[in-house]
Amino acid sequence: VPALATEPRFAQRLREHLEEEQLLDGRYRLQEVPCGRVALPVLEEKLSQLQLPQEMPCRLVWIQDPVPSRAARRQTPAQKLRDELRRLLGESWSEELERDVPRAWQRHGDLVLLSEDSFSAAPWEKLGPVLWETVASALGAQRLARRGRVLPDGMRSPSVTLLLGQDGWVEHVDNRIRYTFDVTKCMFSPGNITEKLRVASLPCSGEVLVDLYAGIGYFTLPYLVHTAAAFAYACEWNSHAVEALRRNLVLNGVQDRCHIHHGDSRQLELRDVADRVNLGLIPSSEEGWPVACRVLKKGTGGVLHIHHNVETFPAPAPPQTLILQAEQGSPEGGGSDGEVQYPMEDSGKETLGARIRPEWQRWAEATAARIQELLAELHGQPWRTSILHIEAVKSYAPHVHHLVLDLECRPVLP
C-alpha cells in the first residue's frame, strides 16, 4: 500500500494532516521503514489528491506487507465490506448504495450466498466483475452467489445466480453432520437448526424412521447419525435433492441404513414399517397425513412429527394496561394471558418471544383429532392420539410461526 514516510518526531503531525484531508488509510498501522523513518499508509485511490506538506520532510513509499490496524482487526465483516465498497466507489458513494449493501449472508465453505435484495440498485451494474471480486475479498470468500425468489414448482427450488465462480456445490456442517449440495439447485434453511438439534436428541434407538420430505437429508441424517435409529426410508421427488442426499449419506457413513424412495411420497407403497414419521413440509404437510398413518406399525403405532405454519394474531392488551403504558411511556408488556413462555429462534421478521398460544393449541388438537379419525378408518379399530410437545421452530412471517407437533399414535387394544 502507498504510505508517507517521515521522521518519527513528525509522525503525529503528519497523521493529523492526513486525517484532516481524509487521506489516511485506517486499515493499516504506522510502520517502521528503512533509514529510521516511520510510514503512515494513505488511500491509494486518493493519491491524485495527495499534497506533501512542506513544513515536515516526508516522501511517498510503498509498503509490501502492511500490518492491519487494531481498528481493522476489530471490524465486523459487514463493516469491512462497506468500507471496501466505499473506497471502490469514492465520490460516487451514496446513502442509496449504503442501504443496498447486505448486513447478513449465508456462508457455505468458500461460497457466500447473498440475499435477493443485495446490490439491486442500478449503479452497481457499472462496476461489472470488479464488484463481485471486491465483495468476495472483503468477506473472505472464493465464490459468490445471490438468491432469488423460490420457484413455484412444488419442489421449493431455489433461484440462485452464481456471481463469482463456476461450481455451485458446497459443504456445510451442522452438529457434526456434513451436508453437501448445489446451492443453485437445492434449498438449505439455517433457520431450522434448532429443530435439527432437537431431532438429534430424541430417543430413537432401534427405531425405523420414514421421512416423507427428506430433501438433502435435513432430518434424515440427524436421526441416523445421532439418535441411533436402526433404519430410515427417505422420500424425495426432487432429483437434485436426491443426488445431494445420496452423497450426504455416504459422507456421514450411514448409506447402509437408509433407502431412498425417489418420487412423490403420496404414492409411497410402504405400509406397517415405521416407529416414527417425519413430515417436514411447510406451509402444510396435510397431504402426507394419510401416508404417515399407513406407514406406522399397525400393531404398536408410533410418533408423528408434523410441521405446519400456524397464523397467530396478537391479543389486544386490556384497557387498563394501555392506560398504564401511556402514562409511563413503557413498551408493550409481556403476555398476561397465562401462556407458558419458552425460547425460540426468531427469523427477524417478528421479535415477540414464543408462547404456547391458543391458536397453536387449537391447531394441535384439531390435527390430533383428524389423525385419530384417519387411523381408525384405515385399520377399522379405535386409536388414541396424544400431544407430546409443540415446538416453535421460527417466525416464518409476521404473525405466522413454523410449528412442529409431536403426536403419539397408539392402537386401542381390545
Side-chain angles (χ1 to χ4, degrees):
V1 297
L4 287 181
T6 188
E7 297 177 20
R9 60 195 176 104
F10 294 121
Q12 184 57 35
R13 289 172 55 193
L14 180 58
R15 177 188 290 277
E16 292 171 356
H17 170 78
L18 294 175
E19 287 178 341
E20 183 179 346
E21 298 296 323
Q22 297 185 339
L23 301 174
L24 186 69
D25 191 339
R27 295 174 299 174
Y28 307 107
R29 58 180 295 182
L30 179 148
Q31 293 176 234
E32 294 184 3
V33 292
C35 302
R37 296 193 169 206
V38 293
L40 287 161
V42 296
L43 296 168
E44 184 174 357
E45 63 271 19
K46 293 193 174 183
L47 281 178
S48 60
Q49 304 173 27
L50 184 62
Q51 295 181 355
L52 302 182
Q54 296 180 353
E55 66 272 18
M56 60 189 83
C58 56
R59 63 187 178 89
L60 183 67
V61 298
W62 290 83
I63 300 175
Q64 296 297 324
D65 298 303
V67 178
S69 65
R70 290 181 180 178
R73 289 198 294 269
R74 289 195 301 267
Q75 273 189 320
T76 67
Q79 291 170 334
K80 183 178 180 181
L81 175 60
R82 287 197 297 275
D83 289 348
E84 292 289 342
L85 292 171
R86 190 180 289 113
R87 272 188 282 272
L88 177 65
L89 284 142
E91 295 180 357
S92 299
W93 187 254
S94 66
E95 289 186 8
E96 177 192 13
L97 296 179
E98 171 88 22
R99 290 191 298 269
D100 216 27
V101 177
R103 265 62 173 178
W105 47 84
Q106 289 183 24
R107 185 181 297 274
H108 303 293
D110 68 353
L111 184 145
V112 163
L113 181 60
L114 303 172
S115 60
E116 62 182 285
D117 57 352
S118 303
F119 303 108
S120 57
W124 297 115
E125 298 179 5
K126 300 176 182 178
L127 295 176
V130 68
L131 169 63
W132 309 127
E133 292 168 0
T134 301
V135 172
S137 175
L139 300 182
Q142 298 297 317
R143 296 177 291 164
L144 206 62
R146 180 169 55 194
R147 287 183 308 199
R149 295 191 178 278
V150 176
L151 299 178
D153 57 0
M155 299 186 186
R156 291 185 56 80
S157 300
S159 174
V160 172
T161 303
L162 276 175
L163 305 170
L164 186 66
Q166 303 299 321
D167 181 13
W169 279 90
V170 299
E171 186 168 312
H172 190 96
V173 179
D174 268 347
N175 194 24
R176 295 178 285 118
I177 296 174
R178 296 169 65 188
Y179 298 89
T180 186
F181 58 99
D182 186 339
V183 294
T184 67
K185 302 290 195 309
C186 299
M187 294 286 292
F188 188 89
S189 177
N192 290 341
I193 181 60
T194 55
E195 180 63 7
K196 285 184 280 189
L197 290 171
R198 189 178 78 93
V199 161
S201 68
L202 293 175
C204 307
S205 179
E207 291 186 352
V208 174
L209 165 77
V210 172
D211 191 348
L212 289 180
Y213 311 100
I216 67 171
Y218 306 108
F219 300 113
T220 305
L221 288 167
Y223 278 112
L224 291 173
V225 173
H226 291 310
T227 73
F231 198 82
Y233 295 95
C235 308
E236 178 56 45
W237 66 358
N238 184 328
S239 58
H240 300 296
V242 168
E243 172 60 24
L245 176 58
R246 293 189 196 281
R247 296 190 187 196
N248 291 330
L249 292 169
V250 173
L251 270 178
N252 292 278
V254 293
Q255 66 272 24
D256 295 335
R257 293 161 49 214
C258 183
H259 180 78
I260 299 174
H261 289 263
H262 184 185
D264 189 338
S265 61
R266 290 170 296 188
Q267 309 301 322
L268 188 64
E269 295 296 331
L270 282 178
R271 288 177 179 269
D272 188 25
V273 296
D275 301 291
R276 195 174 295 265
V277 184
N278 199 74
L279 297 105
L281 181 66
I282 53 174
S284 175
S285 61
E286 190 166 355
E287 287 190 348
W289 295 358
V291 182
C293 291
R294 286 200 301 270
V295 299
L296 274 181
K297 290 181 177 177
K298 62 182 181 181
T300 55
V303 177
L304 306 183
H305 300 283
I306 303 171
H307 292 236
H308 197 82
N309 281 353
V310 177
E311 192 168 8
T312 310
F313 291 102
Q320 63 270 26
T321 304
L322 293 175
I323 293 171
L324 180 64
Q325 289 170 0
E327 291 175 348
Q328 297 182 348
S330 63
E332 182 176 350
S336 58
D337 50 8
E339 295 171 334
V340 179
Q341 297 273 352
Y342 66 95
M344 90 178 238
E345 182 195 10
D346 200 319
S347 68
K349 296 180 181 177
E350 187 173 358
T351 56
L352 295 175
R355 296 173 291 203
I356 301 295
R357 305 178 184 183
E359 294 90 343
W360 300 4
Q361 189 68 31
R362 285 195 292 269
W363 164 75
E365 291 173 357
T367 299
R370 180 56 186 148
I371 295 293
Q372 188 175 34
E373 291 174 0
L374 289 172
L375 287 164
E377 292 170 6
L378 176 65
H379 297 291
Q381 69 178 79
W383 281 59
R384 62 176 175 81
T385 54
S386 306
I387 296 172
L388 299 178
H389 179 69
I390 302 171
E391 178 74 11
V393 179
K394 62 178 180 290
S395 172
Y396 189 79
H399 311 304
V400 178
H401 289 87
H402 174 182
L403 305 182
V404 181
L405 167 63
D406 295 349
L407 188 67
E408 185 178 35
C409 306
R410 304 294 180 192
V412 178
L413 301 177

